[in-house]
Amino acid sequence: PWNKAQIKKMLIISDPHIFADYLVLRNTILSDDISDLQKLLNEIIQNKEPYLISHLNINGEELLKLGINGKKIGKTLAHLRDKIIENPDFNTKEKLIEYAANI
């Protein structure tokens, strides 16, 4: 069974509408029950749950202020994105800065 974190990881590489179309296609071809997946996807979209780096409440400029620079900025942002995928409540500027400073 899928969970929200797994769906969000799929949404990193796929547009939500394309993923929804995939679910319909999967249902048509494989006769899978996709109702739970569709429900989770709809909740993610309706609740505007974060799953992209652009959804973070922190950006590269703020990481620069912490002394993080170069390629480490992208790696840190990706790590923070993965953290908020698992725990959306973590997506506050204060928590993200604290976590980034200790990576």
Side-chain angles (χ1 to χ4, degrees):
W2 286 59
N3 61 40
K4 281 187 175 183
Q6 291 169 318
I7 293 172
K8 289 177 188 180
K9 289 175 185 175
M10 289 297 298
L11 295 177
I12 292 171
I13 59 171
S14 175
D15 179 89
H17 296 81
I18 293 171
F19 188 68
D21 290 345
Y22 159 76
L23 294 178
V24 172
L25 182 63
R26 181 178 170 154
N27 175 258
T28 303
I29 293 172
L30 302 175
S31 299
D32 280 352
D33 179 12
I34 58 166
S35 58
D36 288 343
L37 284 168
Q38 285 178 317
K39 180 181 175 191
L40 292 173
L41 177 61
N42 289 337
E43 286 176 13
I44 291 167
I45 294 167
Q46 288 174 355
N47 296 335
K48 297 180 181 176
E49 294 184 27
Y51 58 87
L52 295 174
I53 287 174
S54 62
H55 297 160
L56 290 169
N57 283 322
I58 192 173
N59 60 38
E61 290 180 23
E62 289 156 321
L63 294 181
L64 281 170
K65 291 176 187 175
L66 295 174
I68 300 168
N69 54 37
K71 292 182 181 181
K72 193 168 182 190
I73 288 176
K75 290 179 182 180
T76 301
L77 289 171
H79 191 70
L80 293 172
R81 178 206 56 218
D82 294 343
K83 184 82 172 162
I84 64 161
I85 283 174
E86 298 291 334
N87 185 359
D89 294 335
F90 195 82
N91 195 22
T92 67
K93 186 176 275 197
E94 296 78 22
K95 289 179 182 177
L96 293 169
I97 287 174
E98 181 181 341
Y99 192 77
N102 293 308
I103 293 178

